[in-house]
Amino acid sequence: QVQLVESGGGLVQPGDSLRLSCTASGFSFSEYGMSWVRQAPGKGLEWVASISNGGGTTAVVDFVKGRFTISRDNIKDTLYLQMNNLNPEDTAEYYCVKAPNWWTTRLVNGPRGQGTRVTVSA
């Protein structure tokens, strides 16, 4: 049974940084690509970033390029999202999503955790 647990969200000010984590269990983490998606209040799910199973291939949505970095630790079965220079438009619930194979970019739907809330406000 796939289990994904996100953590690391919180209330921060514009310009601050956060690192989100997603701990995986119930499947062979190192064999699957992963993604981060987010859902802002009143809006639908939005793809943020993807990473291949080994971590060698990544992709991020244009509006977070240069600010967000996706990475993973296959020893710890953990996915990360480093978010720098946050702005109020980044306020959302952030979810990690398991890909159906070693690499799927722009993945929005799939097994995901309960989410972690990021609020950026002055």
Side-chain angles (χ1 to χ4, degrees):
Q1 180 181 351
V2 173
Q3 286 196 314
L4 299 165
V5 179
E6 301 93 340
S7 61
L11 172 63
V12 297
Q13 294 186 336
D16 284 353
S17 297
L18 277 176
R19 189 176 80 156
L20 305 184
S21 298
C22 168
T23 301
S25 63
F27 66 102
S28 184
F29 183 72
S30 63
E31 294 183 7
Y32 292 90
M34 297 291 295
S35 290
W36 285 99
V37 301
R38 70 186 188 184
Q39 186 168 26
K43 297 188 176 180
L45 285 173
E46 178 178 55
W47 173 72
V48 175
S50 294
I51 189 167
S52 61
N53 65 319
T57 302
T58 62
V60 297
V61 68
D62 284 348
F63 54 77
V64 304
K65 275 184 180 177
R67 299 192 299 124
F68 290 13
T69 303
I70 187 171
S71 63
R72 64 191 296 161
D73 184 335
N74 285 346
I75 302 298
K76 296 182 178 179
D77 288 352
T78 302
L79 176 73
Y80 301 103
L81 185 67
Q82 177 67 44
M83 306 187 296
N84 298 328
N85 194 21
L86 286 160
N87 61 59
E89 290 69 38
D90 297 316
T91 294
E93 195 82 14
Y94 284 73
Y95 302 89
C96 60
V97 181
K98 173 186 172 293
N101 49 37
W102 71 276
W103 164 250
T104 302
T105 189
R106 300 190 177 276
L107 176 69
V108 176
N109 294 309
R112 65 175 185 258
Q114 83 291 344
T116 186
R117 175 66 59 89
V118 173
T119 303
V120 186
S121 175

